[in-house]
Amino acid sequence: MRYEHIIQGTFISRPNRFIAHAAIRRNEGAEEEIVVCHVKNTGRCRELLLPGAAVILQFHPEAAASGRKTEYSLIGVWKEQHSEFMLINMDSQAPNQVAAEWLHSMEQAPTLPVSGFDGKKLPSSLTLADIRREVTYGQSRFDLAFHLVFGSSASASQEQRKPAFMEVKGVTLEENGIAMFPDAPTERGIKHILELAEAVKAGYEAYILFVIQMKGIREFTPNKKTHPQFGDALRQAHESGVHVLAYDCMVTVDSLAIDQPVPVFPATF
């Protein structure tokens, strides 16, 4: 996914979960000014939004006409890491979009693990079809749903089409190369995980995808210190047959795309 109208600034403060103040220069040589930004992430992000941090803002030229309260959205931040800087996308709406783009990109050659296969020996005829967003199941609304099709998608019988759900979680918390989720307790997240486990029992394929909104990550793990119950639910779901996936992202100031798998070790949950 790509962003338009990007401008860089300096973080000043975050009075509440929804807004931040940042200093920008609208044009080269212009006077610095303080603007109010919508923070597109309701997580704590305390390790990211530090006074003086360089941030990425998206300008919304249509703000006044559309009734937006702010002209800017805060979508990224440069995090200092051992005298270097890591660009982190912190737009919580972006992971669902890039996950959908990722699924569409591999409709004809999926690399998702599938029950009964080890991920490296998937049937050559496997394809993805009917990719949809925001699909209700039970008491939850999952981010993505699709069919795994064994055989020609045009002629595949109902028995050759296995329905699947995918729940997507954006990850911005990192410590020493280890990505963690959540950065704050999430009862809603637990509810979704347990619903995925129930879907597996009902015959669906189910995935939880952690979209790590940065590069330079060597491992993903649930944040047991902040919310141990989330780790327990994730382990329970894995044992029930839910596939737990983590991928990092290629991040630029104006784009985000899922890139490479990151190791996940369910035995440690």
Side-chain angles (χ1 to χ4, degrees):
M1 65 173 292
R2 301 199 70 86
Y3 297 92
E4 296 182 340
H5 309 300
I6 293 301
I7 187 168
Q8 302 198 46
T10 302
F11 177 77
I12 297 175
S13 64
R14 186 182 186 182
N16 59 50
R17 290 191 305 163
F18 305 103
I19 67 168
H21 296 148
I24 67 166
R25 297 182 190 274
R26 292 182 186 263
N27 301 291
E28 186 176 351
E31 291 290 326
E32 188 173 78
E33 61 180 292
I34 308 302
V35 296
V36 178
C37 315
H38 170 56
V39 180
K40 298 186 75 173
N41 190 316
T42 57
R44 292 172 177 172
C45 304
R46 292 171 180 167
E47 76 289 353
L48 299 179
L49 296 180
L50 302 174
V55 291
I56 310 299
L57 310 180
Q58 182 180 22
F59 174 59
H60 301 281
E62 77 291 351
S66 64
R68 277 184 59 101
K69 294 181 180 180
T70 60
E71 287 187 309
Y72 295 88
S73 294
L74 196 161
I75 62 169
V77 60
W78 291 91
K79 179 184 179 183
E80 188 170 4
Q81 183 86 332
H82 307 303
S83 300
E84 297 182 353
F85 289 89
M86 172 190 294
L87 179 56
I88 300 175
N89 178 292
M90 51 180 292
D91 178 357
S92 62
Q93 297 174 12
N96 286 4
Q97 176 65 31
V98 296
E101 292 174 358
W102 180 62
L103 288 181
H104 281 291
S105 74
M106 58 178 176
E107 282 179 289
Q108 300 306 312
T111 57
L112 295 172
V114 179
S115 297
F117 300 91
D118 65 5
K120 297 179 181 178
K121 298 179 180 178
L122 293 174
S124 59
S125 60
L126 180 66
T127 59
L128 301 185
D130 308 322
I131 299 170
R132 294 158 289 146
R133 298 180 63 175
E134 300 292 331
V135 177
T136 300
Y137 176 80
Q139 300 300 310
S140 291
R141 179 178 293 176
F142 294 129
D143 295 315
L144 292 157
F146 50 94
H147 281 91
L148 295 157
V149 183
F150 299 85
S152 170
S153 58
S155 60
S157 66
Q158 197 61 36
E159 291 74 21
Q160 293 174 295
R161 299 169 64 89
K162 187 172 185 180
F165 292 120
M166 177 176 283
E167 184 67 11
V168 180
K169 302 297 182 187
V171 182
T172 61
L173 178 62
E174 174 273 343
E175 290 183 6
N176 300 315
I178 299 176
M180 295 177 285
F181 183 92
D183 77 341
T186 171
E187 296 302 327
R188 181 172 176 267
I190 289 178
K191 173 176 173 286
H192 285 156
I193 289 173
L194 298 180
E195 285 273 18
L196 283 174
E198 289 301 314
V200 171
K201 294 178 183 177
Y204 291 79
E205 204 79 34
Y207 304 84
I208 179 165
L209 172 65
F210 292 96
V211 176
I212 301 169
Q213 295 167 256
M214 65 194 90
K215 291 294 289 185
I217 297 300
R218 66 174 190 270
E219 179 185 337
F220 169 83
T221 187
N223 189 355
K224 293 183 287 188
K225 181 179 179 181
T226 295
H227 198 183
Q229 293 83 0
F230 183 86
D232 293 341
L234 195 60
R235 183 185 65 253
Q236 179 181 333
H238 168 72
E239 292 172 350
S240 299
V242 177
H243 302 288
V244 181
L245 310 176
Y247 275 73
D248 68 12
C249 287
M250 290 295 296
V251 186
T252 72
V253 296
D254 65 354
S255 68
L256 184 73
I258 289 177
D259 192 30
Q260 296 294 320
V262 170
V264 179
F265 302 106
T268 66
F269 292 175

